[in-house]
Amino acid sequence: MFQQAIQLHPRKRGFHLITSELVQAFPRLSEIKAGMLQVFIQHTSASLTLNENADPTVRMDFETWFNKAVPENDPDYRHNDEGPDDMPAHLKAALLGSAVMIPIHNGRLALGTWQGVYLCEHRSYGGARNLLLTAWGE
């Protein structure tokens, strides 16, 4: 079992591919023939998901849909201490989740042809994001 903490540089609000950053930050993946990688984000206003890695308009459409589904400035929100994007960011993160699991096959992530790992930044200014990568297998 291997574990590695990494910090991602701050990104603007949106859906960002981070697959290559994960692989570069965790070279011990190559030691696992068959196993699993869990990627966990240590924040409540950003999330992770797996989806399309080729066409950037997919990531733009994700942002559009989530902003329509969970709008800012809803008068019913009570939690707004950090601004109008605060509560919507928590709700979006809850919908998508804080972790993804990816199979490891022959030392590589066994993602589909068009799959990538997204950092889903739900705050306008979320800052650096901390991830904990845990891999296990044989």
Side-chain angles (χ1 to χ4, degrees):
M1 182 173 278
F2 304 115
Q3 196 167 67
Q4 176 73 41
I6 67 170
Q7 186 174 74
L8 301 175
H9 66 84
R11 288 173 167 84
K12 65 180 182 175
R13 185 187 336 208
F15 291 75
H16 308 277
L17 279 170
I18 60 167
T19 314
S20 61
E21 289 177 73
L22 301 176
V23 171
Q24 288 176 348
F26 205 12
R28 296 204 76 176
L29 283 175
S30 65
E31 299 177 36
I32 300 174
K33 183 174 177 146
M36 293 297 294
L37 172 67
Q38 180 194 53
V39 183
F40 177 76
I41 189 164
Q42 297 175 306
H43 300 276
T44 61
S45 58
S47 56
L48 300 168
T49 196
L50 296 173
N51 217 290
E52 163 80 44
N53 71 351
D55 184 348
T57 62
V58 171
R59 295 187 299 279
M60 293 166 29
D61 289 345
F62 260 76
E63 179 66 13
T64 298
W65 186 88
F66 273 91
N67 287 334
K68 287 179 181 179
V70 187
E72 291 185 10
N73 297 308
D74 187 314
D76 293 331
Y77 296 152
R78 292 193 242 175
H79 178 76
N80 60 9
D81 296 342
E82 297 177 33
D85 66 343
D86 191 17
M87 190 61 216
H90 293 303
L91 292 169
K92 293 171 186 177
L95 288 170
L96 284 165
S98 58
V100 293
M101 297 279 289
I102 307 161
I104 302 167
H105 178 71
N106 291 329
R108 299 178 59 135
L109 298 180
L111 292 167
T113 302
W114 306 112
Q115 286 183 312
V117 181
Y118 289 7
L119 165 68
C120 313
E121 178 55 70
H122 306 302
R123 299 296 309 268
S124 295
Y125 305 101
R129 296 301 189 174
N130 299 313
L131 302 180
L132 188 61
L133 312 178
T134 306
W136 62 92
E138 55 183 48

